[in-house]
Amino acid sequence: MEESGNAYEARYVAERLSPDFGFYLRASRQLAKVNSAWQKIEIFENPLFGRVMRIDGCFMTSERDEFFYHEPMVHLPAISHGAPRHALIVGGGDGGAAEELLKYPGLQRLVLAELDGEVIRMAREWLSTIHRGAFDDPRLELRLGDALPFIESGTERFDQIILDLTDPFGPATELYTVEFYRACQKLLNPGGVISLHIGSPIHLQTPMARIAASLREVFTIVRPYLQYVPLYGTLWCMAMASDTVDPLLLNPEEVNARLDKQGLQDLQLYNGATHHALLAQPNFVREILQRPVKSIHRGEILEGINDPESLPGVTVIPA
């Protein structure tokens, strides 16, 4: 059952990132919550981040910090490609990635494949400053349901694929495997690009290394890149992969020229300078990515990933 309203006692909501690490937000007012067939979805207000979407105990996106995640995820690969015309987002039900992609005037068609229609419904109602009407853009086509069969049996072709997914535990692990990446590769046009998040170098080092290794088993070019995401409470790693396109070959002037050509002057994070800053790797991250780890294959469990429900509860002890 969904609940909404103004009467709400302020509370502090903690996200447990690992048994040893986490952080909290003050939920000053709950706006809505629903238990869908797949997950528990909650929208609440926070004085710092504005409206926040939380799914199964994990902070997903917020009004005031969503650009830290969505801009690098979308624009670094899109600008590296040059001019995507057909694109696919797997997940991304909050509409933030779709809103960024739809800024490209040459984009003709965007397929949004989201498992849970309730995520889209909640985002439509409560997160308009994130999706900014993207769901009503005539170029957007919604595909509700499991994306795995759609990808594996798909015959459509895309210039850009964005995997805007939940963390790789439970059924979602299948979307982080070598087999799934090969299926995505088959859907890419020549010169196509794919992007996804691969975890945190702070508390998800082994999963991050294994996801990167899985991408390298499939794609010729794999470029991890880093961004601090305030709502996630930590440094976060994304990756772009392609068989022909290398974002490192673009200099800052060319990035800015491509942004100008696309009319993208209103971005809050991404530009020619940050393009290369994102791709710069500290030594400890290089070490993580060079570890001799196994790639991930279908049917495997990815160790080091914690279902938040399996972690111990948080108790605040007064000083």
Side-chain angles (χ1 to χ4, degrees):
M1 295 294 292
E2 181 179 333
E3 300 176 6
S4 62
N6 295 327
Y8 182 67
E9 182 179 352
R11 59 176 177 149
Y12 291 88
V13 182
E15 179 172 345
R16 298 159 291 176
L17 299 176
S18 80
D20 307 303
F21 176 46
F23 71 110
Y24 72 90
L25 294 180
R26 181 161 72 92
S28 58
R29 187 165 67 115
Q30 186 178 72
L31 298 173
K33 67 177 179 180
V34 64
N35 290 325
S36 76
W38 304 99
Q39 55 207 346
K40 179 181 177 181
I41 310 161
E42 181 182 2
I43 307 288
F44 64 86
E45 286 187 341
N46 173 267
L48 180 62
F49 292 110
R51 291 180 177 180
V52 178
M53 175 177 276
R54 186 174 184 242
I55 296 179
D56 284 344
C58 298
F59 302 124
M60 292 288 116
T61 191
S62 81
E63 289 181 307
R64 295 178 191 153
D65 94 317
E66 56 87 19
F67 68 89
F68 284 92
Y69 176 85
H70 289 131
E71 287 191 18
M73 178 70 84
V74 171
H75 295 299
L76 186 145
I79 288 297
S80 297
H81 177 276
R85 294 184 300 168
H86 302 277
L88 166 67
I89 299 172
V90 181
D94 56 58
E99 189 268 336
E100 296 295 341
L101 259 179
L102 289 167
K103 291 177 179 177
Y104 287 80
L107 189 74
Q108 299 173 9
R109 181 168 175 261
L110 172 59
V111 177
L112 178 63
E114 165 61 52
L115 174 66
D116 193 346
E118 283 296 315
V119 175
I120 293 175
R121 187 186 67 80
M122 294 278 274
R124 275 183 176 274
E125 182 172 359
W126 299 104
L127 301 178
S128 61
T129 58
I130 293 177
H131 64 75
R132 298 183 184 275
F135 297 115
D136 298 317
D137 191 297
R139 295 173 291 172
L140 180 70
E141 177 184 330
L142 287 176
R143 299 277 184 92
L144 295 178
D146 187 357
L148 189 59
F150 166 66
I151 297 291
E152 292 188 328
S153 62
T155 57
E156 301 173 66
R157 295 293 179 266
F158 302 97
D159 302 307
Q160 181 170 359
I161 296 175
I162 298 171
L163 304 180
D164 190 359
L165 305 171
T166 57
D167 288 342
F169 62 84
T173 307
E174 294 295 316
L175 306 184
Y176 289 85
T177 63
V178 168
E179 290 80 8
F180 182 70
Y181 296 147
R182 283 185 179 141
C184 289
Q185 183 186 45
K186 291 178 181 178
L187 299 188
L188 287 173
N189 285 321
V193 295
I194 185 171
S195 62
L196 66 159
H197 77 83
I198 66 173
S200 170
I202 306 302
H203 66 288
L204 296 172
Q205 295 185 3
T206 297
M208 187 179 103
R210 291 193 65 192
I211 295 169
S214 303
L215 288 167
R216 289 194 297 265
E217 190 167 322
V218 176
F219 293 97
T220 305
I221 299 166
V222 176
R223 299 297 184 196
Y225 53 104
L226 293 170
Q227 175 60 44
Y228 176 75
V229 181
L231 189 68
Y232 297 170
T234 188
L235 190 65
W236 209 249
C237 195
M238 306 174 194
M240 182 195 128
S242 176
D243 285 323
T244 56
V245 177
D246 189 344
L248 283 175
L249 299 182
L250 283 179
N251 62 44
E253 292 73 25
E254 178 61 24
V255 171
N256 288 330
R258 293 186 181 191
L259 287 168
D260 289 342
K261 184 178 180 180
Q262 298 293 338
L264 298 172
Q265 284 86 32
D266 64 340
L267 303 183
Q268 298 182 75
L269 185 145
Y270 180 74
N271 58 39
T274 58
H275 176 94
H276 282 277
L278 289 163
L279 290 161
Q281 291 180 3
N283 292 334
F284 85 98
V285 173
R286 291 181 181 178
E287 185 275 326
I288 294 169
L289 294 169
Q290 291 169 1
R291 290 177 184 173
V293 297
K294 295 183 190 177
S295 53
I296 309 163
H297 287 273
R298 177 158 297 167
E300 295 183 355
I301 296 173
L302 185 54
E303 67 279 0
I305 293 287
N306 297 291
D307 181 343
E309 295 300 319
S310 70
L311 296 174
V314 177
T315 301
V316 178
I317 301 175

